[in-house]
Amino acid sequence: SRAETHPAFRPGLPGIYIDPGLPALRFEFKPVRKLLGAYAGAGLPADFRLQRDLSCSIFARTLMEEKWTPRLQPGLRKSFKPSCGGFSLRNLSARDPTVVCFDLGRQFTGGIVFEMKSDSGGTIDIGWAELAVKGRPQVLRKGNSYVDRYEAGPGRNTWQPMGFSAGRFLVLILRGFSGQIEFRQLGMLSSEPDLPWKGSFQSDDPALNAVWSLCEHSLRTGTQTGLMDCPTREQAAYIGDGNPTAAWIGRIAGDTSHWRHLVRESFAVQ
């Protein structure tokens, strides 16, 4: 409601723009496929305050240290729908945090999205991770945090982050809610280059087939609007291992635009 209107940029402003010639991204919603567990959270420390100058790693570490007690919500498992990731929670108490953990089935790059309807407002701490230990997603790795916080109001709420990351395991920590919550969908809006992945491999050895599938999936999820070392912690191009990666993308997809872009940018940086 307070958005300011600014005039368009004047024509003829100096600047250089080079079209990278890279394929656009395509997006596909990937719902959570499996309910890993439900817990009662102990709550954050009484003196904990989420402030602007608080580092993300401190927030994630605090969440990792929060004690969870296994407690399956009545009707949760029955209401869970793997087709959309939807589920329902009932008889929530504003005093008691509720934690639910999910598995996407495999790693994807993108952002966690949801649509939900609640009787009351509350706070949702949203975490994602490449690794889960004893069913608990590891939202803090190597000092890096993989957590968002969403302040929900009563009624319909939707969430889609601006940035992207990657992961397989999701956790929602619901705080301050009372009554009922219905999640109509929960999952990751997956992104990958819009390329025809034409390469294939098939042998009599299931292990070799699995290796091929894993490697191809890594190329598809690790390549976004350019090559990067990984889509989580190091969202940056690495020239050394980027070249063979780009070569394989060219072989599998028949498109060498990522390789051309990498080489051009390598010389530009040098």
Side-chain angles (χ1 to χ4, degrees):
S1 59
R2 300 177 184 174
E4 298 178 5
T5 301
H6 293 268
F9 287 113
R10 299 191 312 275
L13 285 177
I16 298 174
Y17 173 73
I18 300 174
D19 185 351
L22 291 168
L25 293 178
R26 63 168 171 251
F27 298 87
E28 183 179 354
F29 175 65
K30 303 289 186 180
V32 289
R33 297 295 187 186
K34 181 180 179 182
L35 174 66
L36 291 181
Y39 308 84
L44 298 175
D47 59 349
F48 178 82
R49 295 292 182 271
L50 189 62
Q51 302 171 351
R52 285 185 179 272
D53 58 354
L54 184 69
S55 74
C56 293
S57 60
I58 293 177
F59 180 42
R61 184 176 296 110
T62 303
L63 296 184
M64 290 295 296
E65 293 172 352
E66 183 176 2
K67 184 179 179 181
W68 296 356
T69 302
R71 181 185 298 170
L72 188 62
Q73 260 268 341
L76 171 59
R77 194 172 298 279
K78 186 176 181 180
S79 69
F80 177 60
K81 302 181 181 66
S83 60
C84 62
F87 63 94
S88 297
L89 298 169
R90 299 176 181 176
N91 301 320
L92 296 175
S93 168
R95 298 187 305 272
D96 303 317
T98 297
V99 183
V100 281
C101 299
F102 299 92
D103 183 359
L104 284 162
R106 70 186 311 184
Q107 302 276 357
F108 293 106
T109 297
I112 297 177
V113 295
F114 65 70
E115 179 184 349
M116 52 87 83
K117 184 179 179 181
S118 61
D119 291 343
S120 72
T123 299
I124 307 177
D125 291 330
I126 310 160
W128 61 94
E130 297 175 323
L131 179 70
V133 177
K134 296 182 179 178
R136 185 166 186 149
Q138 302 296 290
V139 298
L140 177 68
R141 294 196 68 189
K142 297 183 179 180
N144 291 271
S145 156
Y146 303 104
V147 183
D148 284 329
R149 168 165 278 196
Y150 179 82
E151 299 293 349
R156 180 174 176 267
N157 291 262
T158 59
W159 169 247
Q160 179 179 333
M162 294 175 64
F164 71 91
S165 188
R168 170 172 175 168
F169 303 101
L170 274 56
V171 55
L172 299 179
I173 307 176
L174 303 134
R175 309 180 192 276
F177 288 92
S178 58
Q180 180 172 328
I181 294 180
E182 179 190 357
F183 276 82
R184 296 176 178 174
Q185 68 170 15
L186 170 66
M188 182 174 284
L189 187 61
S190 164
S191 56
E192 65 176 52
D194 191 10
L195 290 172
W197 300 95
K198 298 180 292 187
S200 62
F201 174 84
Q202 191 68 35
S203 74
D204 295 332
D205 188 336
L208 289 179
N209 295 336
V211 168
W212 170 274
S213 175
L214 178 63
C215 291
E216 181 187 348
H217 186 70
S218 296
L219 289 178
R220 295 171 68 149
T221 57
T223 306
Q224 296 294 302
T225 50
L227 294 170
M228 62 187 66
D229 190 57
C230 69
T232 50
R233 185 170 61 94
E234 296 176 306
Q235 294 182 351
Y238 273 57
I239 296 171
D241 51 4
N243 276 284
T245 301
W248 274 107
I249 291 175
R251 293 185 184 190
I252 294 177
D255 185 313
T256 57
S257 56
H258 285 91
W259 203 359
R260 289 196 303 271
H261 177 65
L262 179 68
V263 172
R264 185 174 61 221
E265 291 300 303
S266 300
F267 280 96
V269 171
Q270 296 288 344

